Amino acid sequence: MIWLVWRQHRRQMLFTLAALAALAAIMVPTGLAMHTKYDDLGLGTCRSALGSASLVTQTEAVSRCESLGHRFQQEFGGMVSIAILFVVLPLLVGVFFGAPLVAREVEQGTHRLVWTQGVTRLQWALAKFGLTGALTTVLAVGYALGVSWWFEPLVGASAGRLAYLSFDVQGIVPVAYTLFALALGVFAGTYWRKVVPAMGIALIGFAAVRVAIEVLARPRYLPAQSLTFSPGGDQTPNPAAGNWVMDVGVRNAAGELVLPNAQLGPCPPGGCLDPVAGPGAQNWVQYQPGDRFWLFQGIETGIFVLLAGLLVFFALRRLRTIA
């Protein structure tokens, strides 16, 4: 049965390997160039010197790091557009691997031939799902490691690993996204038993769940923290901390938020004279600490692996109803 599954899907696997090889041909030279530039600028050393505290007093060092980061972004900022492709890759697995896995067999009627040859539906499903899932996992792990390495300099020169897009293409979550996309495609193929509708449902479903988790759930995995600092004081937010800034504003001396989505610059010696904020105003930032990256990765990976498991379970149940 495993040999049959391989024969059926080996062309897709070979095309996938060829596509990954072409992607690697782009990633390796550009990744090496970014890592070299990052080291030559001294960005890593600069950020290490700032440490991981949310507020630092080394304002000159912060300005220098931000200047170096700006120089790096001027040269390689356009590479971020390639990262969008990395976000889409798991979706393609669900659409072109998962959806046709069952739907094509049912649409063409070839499933009946296998089920009348002494192979039960469960054996057939486990062989197809298991082999495809195992190969997909291996490829997804390799892809996740490569993308994390490639994206590392861009993260070091920008907002940090918890920011949108950066979080989605690094660590272990790309593997979970891929398995979820595959399972969603398989389930869609057992429910809508034609390939094209199943592919459409897999595409829409994946996008809807990803956006919902990213926008609604991820910011609430743990309660956000907040800090305040005086405009033009001796402390400033540390860009090397990698904090995910979720909201900013200005609070008056009573602690009330009077200027949402704004930050005050240095104040004159007599104090802050902003007519709305008044004297004693403080800049306020709400954020998720950068050191929660792996914890958030684990939470999100668990969510998508659980969803993938549930979809496979329901897909197996749906197979019982296919004539």
Side-chain angles (χ1 to χ4, degrees):
M1 187 64 206
I2 293 178
W3 177 86
L4 175 61
V5 174
W6 168 250
R7 292 276 296 180
Q8 285 181 312
H9 301 287
R10 62 180 178 177
R11 183 174 299 177
Q12 289 171 293
M13 287 295 178
L14 292 175
F15 280 140
T16 302
L17 289 173
L20 290 177
L23 189 61
I26 299 174
M27 289 174 56
V28 171
T30 55
L32 289 173
M34 288 192 294
H35 277 269
T36 300
K37 185 67 173 181
Y38 188 86
D39 294 337
D40 289 345
L41 288 173
L43 259 169
T45 303
C46 183
R47 294 175 68 88
S48 296
L50 290 175
S52 59
S54 295
L55 287 176
V56 292
T57 56
Q58 306 173 54
T59 54
E60 291 184 3
V62 169
S63 298
R64 178 174 176 272
C65 281
E66 290 179 339
S67 175
L68 292 175
H70 181 66
R71 288 171 58 186
F72 183 89
Q73 291 287 349
Q74 282 183 318
E75 186 169 349
F76 294 104
M79 291 293 179
V80 175
S81 59
I82 299 179
I84 298 174
L85 173 62
F86 299 148
V87 175
V88 175
L89 282 178
L91 170 61
L92 300 181
V93 171
V95 171
F96 294 105
F97 268 68
L101 199 65
V102 174
R104 179 173 289 125
E105 297 266 12
V106 176
E107 188 174 15
Q108 297 176 352
T110 54
H111 64 294
R112 297 190 184 94
L113 177 62
V114 178
W115 293 350
T116 57
Q117 301 299 314
V119 177
T120 66
R121 300 185 185 211
L122 182 60
Q123 291 173 328
W124 178 81
L126 291 179
K128 288 182 77 72
F129 298 175
L131 181 60
T132 305
L135 292 174
T136 300
T137 301
V138 171
L139 293 176
V141 169
Y143 141 78
L145 291 173
V147 173
S148 294
W149 167 82
W150 183 87
F151 209 75
E152 185 179 1
L154 288 169
V155 171
S158 60
R161 295 187 296 176
L162 275 174
Y164 290 121
L165 188 62
S166 298
F167 184 90
D168 302 328
V169 298
Q170 291 198 294
I172 56 178
V173 291
V175 180
Y177 297 155
T178 304
L179 293 177
F180 168 72
L182 180 68
L184 179 61
V186 169
F187 174 74
T190 63
Y191 200 89
W192 290 270
R193 301 170 190 176
K194 293 185 180 297
V195 175
V196 174
M199 294 171 73
I201 294 300
L203 190 155
I204 295 171
F206 180 85
V209 174
R210 283 279 286 107
V211 170
I213 295 294
E214 184 166 330
V215 174
L216 300 178
R218 189 186 300 166
R220 297 173 175 82
Y221 288 159
L222 288 176
Q225 297 183 7
S226 62
L227 57 84
T228 57
F229 57 97
S230 299
D234 60 352
Q235 287 189 316
T236 187
N238 182 7
N243 296 333
W244 178 18
V245 177
M246 305 172 66
D247 199 5
V248 297
V250 177
R251 294 185 179 274
N252 60 20
E256 300 170 335
L257 183 65
V258 292
L259 291 174
N261 302 315
Q263 294 276 268
L264 294 179
C267 293
C272 182
L273 302 178
D274 186 273
V276 177
Q282 299 275 311
N283 285 326
W284 168 79
V285 176
Q286 187 179 55
Y287 67 99
Q288 291 286 355
D291 58 11
R292 291 179 176 177
F293 173 77
W294 284 111
L295 179 58
F296 275 37
Q297 285 267 318
I299 294 172
E300 192 147 317
T301 296
I303 291 172
F304 278 93
V305 169
L306 176 61
L307 290 175
L310 289 173
L311 287 168
V312 170
F313 172 76
F314 288 123
L316 291 173
R317 290 179 62 88
R318 289 288 304 173
L319 283 176
R320 300 177 184 176
T321 66
I322 296 177

